[in-house]
Structures are given as C-alpha cells and as structure tokens.
C-alpha cells in the first residue's frame, strides 16, 4: 500500500523518530510550520479521525497524552502549544493516516 506514514512506521522511509511505543510513533514534520512541529502517528493505519470508532477511544486518548508528554520533553509545555488533527478535505488533510500535530515554540496565530 502506498501510505507514506505506514512506510515511516515500518522504517522503509527514514524519518526523525522522537518517540515510539506499541500504539504510536512520533516524528518531526518534514516541513515544520513552527520551531517545534511533531506528528504523533497511530501505528494502526486508520484513514482519518472521522474513520475512528468507539474501539479507538483509548488510542485517541493515548495520542493526546503522548503529545502532552512530548510538549514537555520538547520544552514547550510552559510557553504553550497547539494540537491539531485535520480530518477530511475542508481541513486540508493531506496524508490519509491518522496523525496529530504538536505545534509550538513561537506565538501561534489562529490559522498559522
Ligand atoms: P495533514 O495535512 O495530513 O494534517 O498533515 C500532513 C503532514 O505530514 C504535513 O505537515 C507534512 O509536512 C507532513 N509530511 C508529509 N510527508 C512527510 C514525510 O515524508 N515525512 C515527514 N516527517 N512528514 C511528512
Ligand atoms: Zn498508513
């Protein structure tokens, strides 16, 4: 399958991995929109947040908790950070594999 995040998780495509466990892999975004821009990927291939079901609730909670820990380890817990999940065309979701953006390290505007 042609999913770029599945390839990164398998190690077929190189990426800077900042955290890994059995349910999530966190990498640095290749095109960072802020000084800190980490992506928390689900290990399981799920096309989008809207494709998740009740069984994924613990996973989604885990992704948010890992993002919070990463904010701490990346040094932006106090200065502030934003979590973003783009789901579907109107949100501009480019990669159809569930992921959560952790953005910080500068003052963030509403859109950017
Ligand atoms: P989306 O728009 O789907 O929410 O976000 C996809 C994100 O993945 C973008 O911020 C984009 O820069 C990032 N991205 C796309 N391809 C790669 C890649 O090969 N490696 C890494 N590290 N990030 C990627
Ligand atoms: Zn995938």
């Amino acid at each position: 399958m042609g999913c770029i995040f599945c390839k990164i998780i398998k190690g077929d495509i190189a990426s800077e991995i900042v955290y890994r466990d059995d349910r999530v892999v966190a990498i640095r975004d290749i095109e960072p929109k802020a000084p800190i821009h980490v992506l928390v990927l689900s290990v399981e291939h799920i096309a989008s947040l809207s494709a998740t079901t009740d069984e994924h609730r613990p996973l989604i909670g885990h992704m948010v908790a890992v993002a919070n820990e990463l904010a701490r380890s990346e040094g932006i817990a106090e200065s502030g950070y934003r979590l973003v999940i783009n789901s579907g065309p109107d949100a501009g979701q480019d990669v159809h594999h569930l992921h959560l953006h952790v953005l910080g390290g500068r003052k963030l505007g509403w859109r950017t």
Side-chain angles (χ1 to χ4, degrees):
M1 198 183 52
C3 175
I4 195 152
F5 285 173
C6 280
K7 286 179 183 163
I8 286 171
I9 290 162
K10 276 192 227 130
D12 293 347
I13 291 178
S15 186
E16 192 187 340
I17 293 174
V18 292
Y19 176 83
R20 168 166 230 147
D21 64 26
D22 58 331
R23 287 183 285 170
V24 301
V25 172
I27 60 172
R28 291 203 194 279
D29 198 290
I30 204 167
E31 228 177 272
K33 280 72 175 181
I36 303 296
H37 189 171
V38 173
L39 302 173
V40 181
L41 321 177
S42 58
V43 167
E44 180 186 349
H45 178 90
I46 305 165
S48 67
L49 184 62
S50 70
T52 61
T53 61
D54 272 358
E55 68 171 288
H56 295 117
R57 281 173 182 239
L59 169 64
I60 295 162
H62 183 60
M63 289 172 75
V64 172
V66 166
N68 190 36
E69 281 168 17
L70 285 166
R72 210 164 288 139
S73 58
E74 294 288 324
I76 55 171
E78 301 303 323
S79 52
Y81 56 98
R82 180 175 294 160
L83 308 185
V84 173
I85 298 177
N86 294 314
S87 187
D90 279 0
Q93 184 184 356
D94 281 332
V95 180
H96 298 278
H97 178 126
L98 180 62
H99 59 282
L100 185 158
H101 298 254
V102 186
L103 295 152
R106 68 167 168 82
K107 191 119 187 133
L108 299 165
W110 171 235
R111 302 280 302 164
T112 56

